[in-house]
Amino acid sequence: MSDTLYVETQGCQMNEHDTERLADLLVTEAGMRRVDDPESADVLLLNTCSVREKAQEKVFSRLGRWRRYKEQRPDVVIGVGGCVASQEGAAILERAPYVDLVFGPQTLHRLPQLVAAVRAGAGAQVDIEFPEIEKFDHLPAPRALGPTAYVSVMEGCSKYCAFCVVPYTRGEEISRPLADVVAEVETLAVQGVREITLLGQNVNAYAGRLRDGSSADLGLLIEAVAQVGGIDRIRFTTSHPVEFHDGLIEAYREVPELADFLHLPVQSGSDAILERMKRGHRAAEYEALVAEIRKARPSLALASDFIVGFPGESEGDFSQTLALIERVGFDAGAFSFAYSRRPGTPAAELSDEVPDAVKRQRLYQLQVVIGQQQMAAAQRLLGSSQRILVEGPSRRDPREFSGRTSCNRVVNFAGDDSLVGSFAEVRITETRAHSLRGEVVACERPRARPGSATQGVQIAVTDG
Ligand code: SAM
Ligand code: F3S
C-alpha cells in the first residue's frame, strides 16, 4: 500500500508553489497519494513561514496537534520545511523531538530520499543546505492545475532589508537559465495554461544565463515568455524598487501580454525610516520610478507592502507614509504589517521599539486610507468592459464563475464550464468588498491546443 501524504502551507506564493512541486515529486517518485485529512495521513509535512513572529508560533501549535496522531500511529512521519526549518535547523528537533525530518526551501527535491531514510530507521534527517539551484533539475515536469500557473524564475534574495529573514532562510539570489524557464512555460502552455506568474522573492533582480553565456534581465524573460503559443497574460511577483531596469519598463510599453498590474513594495514614505530599513532608495526615487512605469503603461494598477512601527518610526515618519500613499495612489491595494522583530536580522538590534498599541493604531489608519483608494478604483471600473481569464467556479457560489482582470481584480459572473480556460469580455456591474460582479458580453472560443490549425483568439459575441 502506498503512503498517504498531507502537506500544509504557511506564508507566501513561493511557499504555495514549493508545496505543489514537492507534493508532485512525492507522488511521482515515491508513489505517495495526497490526502486532505491530516489525521489519516502517513506522511505529514508543514511548509513554514518565518517572516513574522506570529507565523513562526503557528508552526509549533500545528506540530503539537500532529504529535497526537503520531502517538496513536507511531509510523507516521512528520516533516518541517520552508523558512522556519531553514532558520532553526536541528533546533526544531529539540523543541519537537517527534519531528522526523527538517528540509529547507532549496532541498525539497531531496524529500523522497529523506523520507526513505527515516523509514529505513536512520533516525531524524536534517537537510537545510543551499545547493546551487539544483532543485529545479530534480523536480518532475510541472503539471497544470488550471489555466493559471506559477513558475519560479529565481530563488533567494540579496537585498538584506534590515527587518527581513528571507536572505538568511532562502539564501542569496540565484536565477534559472532563460531557456529552462521558457521550456517550463511551454510544458504548461501545452496543458492549457494561459496565464503565467513569474515568481521570485526579488524577481526583478532576475539575471538568467543565456546560451551564449550572457545574461537576460526580467524584461527579456517576459518577452520570451510572451512568444510562447497560448500564453496571453504574464504577471510577476514580487519586485523591489532597486534594480527595476529599463528593460522591464520597456516591457510595460511593448509587451501587451504583460498584465496591467504591479506589486511594488515601498514599506515606508519616510527617508529616515527607509534608510534604517536599508531599502537602498528614497521615497522620491520610488515615486519617480512609479511615474516612469505609469508613463509606459497608463492603465497600470499599483499594489504595495507597508511596515508600520519599524524601530524609531515617529508620528512624523508615519505621516510621511500616509502622504506618500495619497500622492502615489495604490489602486490595487496593499499588504500592510505591524513590524515584527526577527532574531538574527540587523533591525532586531535596534532599541527604540514602537509600542504595540501605537503599531496597531497606525496599521488601522493606513488600512483605512488604502481601503478608500481601493474602493475608489473599483468604482472607476463600474460599467467598463474587462478582459477576464475564466479560472473556474467561484469559491462562494459554484453556480457562478470567477476570474481576474488584467489589473488583478477578482470578478464573479454567471457562466458555464465551457468558459473555463478562455478569456471573456465581462462588463462590470457591481462592486463588492473584495470582488467585482459582472456579466459576460463576449467570449473567446475555447482554445485548441498549441500547434493545431484552429489555434488563435476568436471572439464570439453573446447576449450580456
Ligand atoms: N520580496 C518578497 C515580497 O515582497 O513578497 C518577500 C518579502 S517579505 C516575505 C514580504 C513582505 O513582508 C515585505 O515586503 C514586508 O512588507 C513584510 N515583512 C518582511 N519582514 C517583516 C517583518 N520583520 N515585520 C513585518 N513585516 C515584514
Ligand atoms: Fe526581504 Fe527585502 Fe528581500 S523585504 S525578501 S530582504 S527585498
Side-chain angles (χ1 to χ4, degrees):
M1 268 271 285
S2 62
D3 272 340
T4 51
L5 167 71
Y6 174 81
V7 197
E8 195 168 304
T9 318
Q10 303 177 328
C12 62
Q13 285 146 320
M14 337 259 151
N15 266 8
E16 279 171 29
H17 182 61
D18 280 351
T19 290
E20 289 310 315
R21 302 306 307 272
L22 74 84
D24 252 7
L25 177 73
L26 289 169
V27 168
T28 46
E29 234 177 68
M32 292 190 192
R33 190 164 52 80
R34 212 166 158 185
V35 292
D36 294 331
D37 171 24
E39 219 168 330
S40 66
D42 304 311
V43 176
L44 291 152
L45 302 178
L46 186 59
N47 196 5
T48 62
C49 170
S50 59
V51 165
R52 282 165 290 276
E53 191 179 358
K54 231 192 217 158
Q56 183 147 1
E57 280 314 304
K58 267 202 250 165
V59 172
F60 290 97
S61 70
R62 179 59 80 245
L63 290 176
R65 180 170 317 161
W66 289 3
R67 172 192 202 159
R68 280 186 258 137
Y69 306 150
K70 193 161 175 148
E71 281 164 2
Q72 284 153 16
R73 293 183 296 128
D75 278 350
V76 162
V77 173
I78 297 181
V80 180
C83 289
V84 174
S86 177
Q87 211 169 14
E88 303 285 320
I92 291 183
L93 303 177
E94 281 162 33
R95 189 159 162 194
Y98 47 89
V99 167
D100 301 289
L101 58 98
V102 178
F103 58 98
Q106 316 300 9
T107 52
L108 50 91
H109 58 289
R110 298 180 183 160
L111 268 169
Q113 294 75 30
L114 294 170
V115 175
V118 172
R119 283 266 184 257
Q125 304 289 308
V126 178
D127 186 353
I128 52 167
E129 279 180 14
F130 294 147
E132 285 265 303
I133 212 136
E134 71 173 39
K135 87 174 176 197
F136 293 104
D137 300 330
H138 293 83
L139 290 169
R143 214 165 29 85
L145 300 171
T148 63
Y150 291 127
V151 173
S152 271
V153 304
M154 50 98 66
E155 285 282 332
C157 182
S158 309
K159 288 284 171 289
Y160 292 94
C161 301
F163 49 79
C164 185
V165 292
V166 169
Y168 311 100
T169 58
R170 287 189 168 254
E172 295 256 328
E173 288 160 5
I174 178 155
S175 298
R176 295 175 71 191
L178 181 131
D180 289 11
V181 175
V182 171
E184 187 167 325
V185 172
E186 283 167 348
T187 311
L188 289 161
V190 170
Q191 299 173 63
V193 167
R194 309 294 305 275
E195 175 183 304
I196 292 288
T197 301
L198 304 172
L199 277 185
Q201 290 293 339
N202 183 14
V203 70
N204 49 311
Y206 176 77
R209 195 166 26 81
L210 290 169
R211 289 208 173 92
D212 66 5
S214 64
S215 132
D217 66 9
L218 186 63
L220 202 66
L221 177 66
I222 288 170
E223 277 177 39
V225 169
Q227 303 291 317
V228 175
I231 300 302
D232 270 16
R233 194 170 269 173
I234 302 169
R235 303 182 188 276
F236 60 88
T237 198
T238 300
S239 23
H240 188 291
V242 175
E243 283 183 292
F244 208 101
H245 302 296
D246 290 347
L248 186 49
I249 299 175
E250 206 47 37
Y252 274 109
R253 190 172 289 120
E254 300 292 338
V255 183
E257 288 84 356
L258 182 57
D260 280 346
F261 176 76
L262 173 63
H263 182 177
L264 190 61
V266 63
Q267 316 297 357
S268 169
S270 152
D271 285 342
I273 295 297
L274 286 172
E275 193 169 341
R276 284 168 78 98
M277 287 178 166
K278 299 201 180 337
R279 290 287 290 176
H281 65 86
R282 291 166 184 269
E285 283 159 341
Y286 179 88
E287 292 184 57
L289 175 63
V290 167
E292 218 184 317
I293 306 165
R294 281 183 166 151
K295 208 159 108 199
R297 180 67 72 88
S299 49
L300 187 88
L302 187 67
S304 197
D305 289 353
F306 294 91
I307 295 179
V308 299
F310 187 76
E313 185 189 68
S314 65
E315 271 307 319
D317 292 317
F318 179 61
S319 8
Q320 288 181 42
T321 299
L322 294 179
L324 177 132
I325 294 172
E326 291 291 351
R327 287 195 303 274
V328 173
F330 293 93
D331 27 20
F335 299 91
S336 44
F337 312 99
Y339 169 69
S340 168
R341 185 178 167 276
R342 306 314 292 130
T345 61
E349 307 302 319
L350 299 174
S351 53
D352 33 3
E353 284 239 5
V354 174
D356 279 347
V358 176
K359 284 187 199 167
R360 277 199 298 276
Q361 171 61 28
R362 289 181 187 167
L363 192 59
Y364 174 76
Q365 251 182 293
L366 187 145
Q367 284 171 347
V368 168
V369 179
I370 293 277
Q372 285 164 349
Q373 290 191 342
Q374 218 183 334
M375 191 52 94
Q379 296 290 340
R380 287 195 292 276
L381 292 175
L382 265 183
S384 71
S385 176
Q386 298 288 322
R387 190 163 180 253
I388 310 288
L389 174 57
V390 186
E391 293 179 26
S394 114
R395 262 188 286 169
R396 288 250 175 95
D397 179 353
R399 288 164 307 178
E400 296 252 297
F401 284 76
S402 177
R404 274 175 306 152
T405 62
S406 177
C407 61
N408 213 27
R409 295 257 178 180
V410 173
V411 185
N412 296 309
F413 44 86
D416 62 67
D417 274 333
S418 71
L419 293 177
V420 176
S422 302
F423 282 89
E425 289 294 329
V426 175
R427 198 170 64 82
I428 306 302
T429 55
E430 207 182 315
T431 59
R432 296 190 174 165
H434 300 291
S435 63
L436 303 171
R437 256 196 70 75
E439 52 194 27
V440 177
V441 290
C443 72
E444 180 192 276
R445 281 223 192 110
R447 210 182 126 262
R449 294 283 178 261
S452 88
T454 54
Q455 192 198 341
V457 177
Q458 299 170 28
I459 299 288
V461 178
T462 61
D463 274 346

